[in-house]
Amino acid sequence: MRPQALITGASSGIGEEFARELAGRGNDLILVARRKDRLEELARRLEREYGITADIVAADLATEDGLASAERRIACAGNLALLVNNAGFGTRCLFFGVEVDGQDLCIARMMWSQCGSRTWRFKEWSQRGNGGSSTFPPW
Ligand SMILES: NC(=O)c1ccc[n+]([C@@H]2O[C@H](COP(=O)([O-])OP(=O)(O)OC[C@H]3O[C@@H](n4cnc5c(N)ncnc54)[C@H](OP(=O)(O)O)[C@@H]3O)[C@@H](O)[C@H]2O)c1
């Protein structure tokens, strides 16, 4: 069974590139973002090009429902080995000029690590000696 990688924010940018790179290294993928059409197109393309399996979860991770659906997918995954915690956005202004409401997603994304730890396989990974996660800070 191939190792699976779950990538949040996989519908564009850095997350999409991670998806391609990890598919090229022989990982099955679980791709998470809001834009279902882009996720589906990417999943089918990577399956064709790399012979892997790519599932999608169309979810808004700034909402409780979105987080819950991603957690449900994690809970039933067979061979998770990597979390790329990348969904988010950038804000180009002085920190003290940022509207607090607009930072909700950043907070939600950081919380994802905490939420994910309920269902994520950190203990399993430590027992088998591999697996990992990576979180991208906002900029
Ligand atoms: N580019 C940089 O120089 C840089 C530097 C430092 C850190 N970062 C961080 O790296 C990450 C990716 O940056 P990027 O430049 O690749 O940005 P991007 O092209 O805008 O990609 C952001 C991704 O996050 C997803 N996303 C946004 N809001 C979401 C939500 N509420 N729920 C689920 N998914 C959501 C987007 O998909 P949907 O719109 O389909 O949901 C998209 O796939 C961000 O967290 C960013 O803050 C970027």
Side-chain angles (χ1 to χ4, degrees), residues 10 13 17 22 26 29 32 77 97-98 104 109 113 116 118 137:
E17 286 306 309
L22 289 166
L29 303 175
V32 185
V98 173
D104 285 358
R109 189 193 58 200
S113 300
R118 290 203 304 257

Side-chain angles (χ1 to χ4, degrees), residues 6 8-9 21-22 25 28 31 37 43 46-47 57 66 74 77 84 90 94 96 107-108 110 113 121 135 137:
L6 185 145
T8 70
E21 178 67 25
L22 289 166
R25 294 177 184 215
D28 286 336
L31 307 173
D37 54 339
L46 295 179
E47 285 180 339
V57 180
I74 286 172
V84 180
L94 294 172
F96 54 79
I107 295 164
M110 297 311 288
S113 300
R121 313 294 176 75
T135 295

Side-chain angles (χ1 to χ4, degrees), residues 4 6 10 28 40 44 62 65 68-69 71 75 79 82 84 99 109 114 121 125:
Q4 290 174 308
L6 185 145
D28 286 336
E40 279 175 342
R44 300 298 80 81
D65 283 353
S69 67
E71 285 188 349
N79 192 24
L82 183 66
V84 180
E99 293 292 329
R109 189 193 58 200
Q114 307 301 321
R121 313 294 176 75
W125 291 349

